[in-house]
Amino acid sequence: MKTENKNEIISILESRGTLSSNEIFQALTDSQSLATVKRILSNLEADGIILSKGKARATKYELSPSFQLLKEIDLREYFKKEQDEREIKNNFNFNLITEVLSESQLFTVKEQESLEELHDFFKEKISKLSKTEYNKEMERLAIDLSWKSSQIEGNTYSLLETELLLKEKETAPGKPKQDAIMLLNHKEALNFIIEHSDYIVPITIRGIEDIHSLLIKDLDVDRNIRRGRVGITGTNYTPLDNEYQIREALREMCSVINAKKNVLEKALLTLVLLSYIQAFADGNKRTARIVSNGVLFASGYCPISFRTIDSITYKEAMLVFYELNNISVFKRIFIEQYTFAVKNYF
């Protein structure tokens, strides 16, 4: 299926609404057979991008509610506009969780097949490792994850300095004490989910709060769910500011994630939704990365270190989700980082 043909069909449905296959065929500028158009429509429906209504000749097609969620976004183009110029969804969207994400299939059929092949490859690799070899690789991944997750939050330790700190408890000269504490807290939280692999699944508010408490220990951060407003640098998106609504959002999030059968979907949703809800005054994205890895680890999937993702790109992908409720950019990051982890660890 040519990408340009698929995109043109999507554009036609986006501008004209519900159409039959013949109406779509007539609207195409590129000459295609009706059979080819129907095949493209079938693929789009399988990927959850469009819905069909009616039967046989009366069948009509329209974009699915998850279209905006999965529509491809060009990061560079999107961020050409400054914060106050972008047209965004300013407020928290409960329907995104309860109606869109609960019904959406996040990965295409092709993506799912590729991810499952990677999972099979991972299982084959670890089956050949001794316990000592496995633990050594897990330690390496934990160091990389602790470093990158902290770096995304502004931590100044290098990867080598992080390794010395986590292995030898040797702090880097001239670095803030808080940076060392953040890294050590990451290691403790990771050790917890490794030793208690069933604690995160199913996901609960209490489990999330406990992981958050480990991550912000001895840092000047409130460990409880927020009771007031919080702002996010770089965006006009405003998270919920009421403790009871935040708890409701967390409950809905847990319900949707726990109902999903696909482990990788669970992990991806955990990453974006904990960040979107912003349940705590600080440490939300750190908590999201650890809990998401807990979901993967508990089900025997390869954890993700995020080692090769640029911090700015990570943050921009999250802003796209906040502002447009679009997961496509972050999904791409998730797939890339999962692929890297499977191929480079263990």
Side-chain angles (χ1 to χ4, degrees):
M1 176 173 58
K2 291 183 179 180
T3 301
E4 56 267 29
N5 295 334
K6 178 185 75 172
N7 289 341
E8 187 178 5
I9 287 175
I10 290 171
S11 295
I12 290 168
L13 289 172
E14 195 171 11
S15 62
R16 295 176 56 180
T18 305
L19 298 171
S20 67
S21 57
N22 190 57
E23 288 170 327
I24 295 168
F25 169 67
Q26 296 293 335
L28 284 168
T29 56
D30 189 16
S31 59
Q32 297 289 324
S33 68
L34 181 58
T36 298
V37 170
K38 288 182 176 180
R39 185 168 63 251
I40 295 172
L41 290 170
S42 178
N43 289 332
L44 288 171
E45 187 172 13
D47 288 342
I49 295 172
I50 65 173
L51 299 174
S52 63
K53 295 182 177 180
K55 294 181 179 180
R57 293 184 179 181
T59 302
K60 299 229 171 186
Y61 300 89
E62 63 184 22
L63 293 173
S64 73
S66 62
F67 170 70
Q68 292 299 335
L69 176 75
L70 298 165
K71 179 182 178 181
E72 289 295 323
I73 301 289
D74 185 325
L75 265 188
R76 184 176 298 179
E77 195 66 30
Y78 184 72
F79 285 103
K80 280 183 179 178
K81 291 186 177 181
E82 295 296 328
Q83 176 177 336
D84 295 327
E85 298 174 337
R86 299 194 293 267
E87 294 182 12
I88 72 167
K89 299 179 186 295
N90 293 79
N91 300 315
F92 183 86
N93 180 9
F94 267 102
N95 289 342
L96 173 65
I97 301 175
T98 59
E99 296 181 13
V100 180
L101 289 170
S102 62
E103 300 297 327
S104 296
Q105 178 181 309
L106 301 185
F107 299 115
T108 66
V109 173
K110 186 176 180 180
E111 287 168 344
Q112 186 57 45
E113 288 174 352
S114 176
L115 289 168
E116 286 304 321
E117 285 177 8
L118 285 167
H119 178 50
D120 290 340
F121 179 53
F122 170 70
K123 288 191 294 183
E124 182 183 353
K125 285 206 298 182
I126 62 173
S127 69
K128 299 174 182 177
L129 296 178
S130 67
K131 185 176 181 180
T132 300
E133 290 171 329
Y134 177 85
N135 289 338
K136 185 175 180 180
E137 281 299 286
M138 184 60 75
E139 181 181 44
R140 185 165 72 93
L141 189 148
I143 291 169
D144 287 354
L145 172 57
S146 298
W147 167 68
K148 177 54 74 171
S149 182
S150 299
Q151 187 202 54
I152 290 171
E153 306 309 317
N155 196 291
T156 59
Y157 268 62
S158 69
L159 180 55
L160 290 178
E161 288 168 338
T162 299
E163 183 178 11
L164 279 174
L165 174 68
L166 299 185
K167 282 187 172 182
E168 310 295 338
K169 297 295 186 290
E170 182 179 326
T171 57
K175 302 287 186 179
K177 180 182 178 182
Q178 300 294 86
D179 284 6
I181 293 172
M182 182 188 292
L183 288 161
L184 290 167
N185 287 351
H186 267 87
K187 188 64 173 5
E188 184 176 350
L190 283 165
N191 286 341
F192 181 84
I193 64 169
I194 290 169
E195 293 168 9
H196 306 86
S197 60
D198 60 346
Y199 190 79
I200 292 299
V201 178
I203 290 183
T204 63
I205 296 176
R206 179 183 173 183
I208 293 165
E209 288 178 305
D210 288 347
I211 296 301
H212 177 259
S213 294
L214 290 173
L215 285 165
I216 55 91
K217 187 178 68 175
D218 297 327
L219 296 172
D220 188 21
V221 176
D222 189 346
R223 61 183 294 175
N224 300 313
I225 287 177
R226 283 189 298 109
R227 294 183 178 180
R229 190 178 183 277
V230 67
I232 302 174
T233 303
T235 182
N236 291 333
Y237 161 65
T238 304
L240 296 167
D241 60 5
N242 178 287
E243 179 186 0
Y244 300 102
Q245 287 186 320
I246 292 170
R247 286 191 176 276
E248 181 184 352
L250 286 172
R251 280 193 295 270
E252 295 289 357
M253 181 202 78
C254 291
S255 177
V256 168
I257 292 173
N258 290 332
K260 294 283 184 181
K261 295 180 180 179
N262 186 305
V263 173
L264 292 164
E265 278 199 12
K266 288 175 183 277
L268 174 55
L269 285 175
T270 301
L271 273 170
V272 295
L273 288 179
L274 277 177
S275 302
Y276 181 59
I277 295 169
Q278 293 279 311
F280 308 103
D282 197 7
N284 293 285
K285 292 193 296 296
R286 278 171 275 166
T287 302
R289 287 187 286 272
I290 299 300
V291 176
S292 177
N293 269 306
V295 170
L296 292 171
F297 190 80
S299 297
Y301 281 70
C302 183
I304 303 175
S305 70
F306 300 97
R307 196 181 86 189
T308 63
I309 184 63
D310 176 74
S311 299
I312 298 299
T313 303
Y314 186 101
K315 291 175 182 177
E316 287 180 339
M318 281 309 321
L319 291 184
V320 168
F321 188 77
Y322 297 162
E323 297 183 354
L324 301 180
N325 295 164
N326 180 287
I327 203 170
S328 66
V329 182
F330 205 92
K331 182 180 78 165
R332 187 162 63 244
I333 289 173
F334 180 87
I335 292 173
E336 289 170 355
Q337 293 304 306
Y338 182 73
T339 302
F340 173 84
V342 170
K343 292 183 176 180
N344 289 277
Y345 298 102
F346 305 98

